[in-house]
Amino acid sequence: QVQLVESGGGLVQPGGSLRLSCAASGSIFSIYRMGWYRQTPGKQRELVAGITSGGRTNYADSVKGRFTISRDNAKNTMYLQMNSLKPEDTAVYYCNADLKIYYYSDRASYWGQGTQVTISS
């Protein structure tokens, strides 16, 4: 059983910062790509940032220069440092991991339960 647990969401004023964490636990052989997605009511879930096991990153244009994704492979944990937050960053943020649960298994995608981020004065 694999679990992804996000933490670090909350309410912050515009211009503020938050750091999200995503911890993967359970029967995990190897984690490949990980990513942060976000979703607002009535809209599709969108990619915020992704990171490969080797540390290669990509970002949505809307967050470039403000958000930084990172991961600690030894801890199976991923982070999202969010700075200069704007009201339009308000969303539920989801963690995603592409992983194998053992050597001969297929790669599969897992999701966390989401954490609310609200940017408001």
Side-chain angles (χ1 to χ4, degrees):
Q1 187 79 7
V2 175
Q3 277 194 315
L4 300 181
V5 179
E6 301 103 334
S7 61
L11 172 65
V12 68
Q13 293 186 339
S17 298
L18 280 175
R19 189 191 194 212
L20 304 183
S21 298
C22 170
S25 63
S27 177
I28 298 172
F29 170 74
S30 185
I31 301 177
Y32 301 94
R33 186 185 177 281
M34 299 183 80
W36 289 100
Y37 291 74
R38 65 188 181 188
Q39 189 170 25
T40 54
K43 292 190 176 181
Q44 287 193 335
R45 194 171 296 186
E46 63 174 3
L47 174 68
V48 176
I51 185 167
T52 67
S53 56
R56 184 174 297 179
T57 61
N58 65 292
Y59 296 91
D61 288 342
S62 60
V63 307
K64 281 181 182 177
R66 300 188 298 121
F67 291 10
T68 302
I69 189 172
S70 61
R71 63 190 282 179
D72 183 334
N73 291 331
K75 296 181 179 179
N76 285 344
T77 301
M78 174 179 64
Y79 307 96
L80 185 68
Q81 178 65 43
M82 305 187 294
N83 298 328
S84 302
L85 284 161
K86 303 175 181 180
E88 51 263 44
D89 294 318
T90 296
V92 177
Y93 284 70
Y94 295 91
C95 165
N96 175 262
D98 180 28
L99 58 87
K100 284 188 176 184
I101 58 174
Y102 55 90
Y103 181 77
Y104 291 107
S105 68
D106 292 330
R107 289 167 63 159
S109 182
Y110 292 82
W111 292 90
Q113 81 288 350
T115 185
Q116 177 70 46
V117 171
T118 303
I119 313 305
S120 175
S121 54

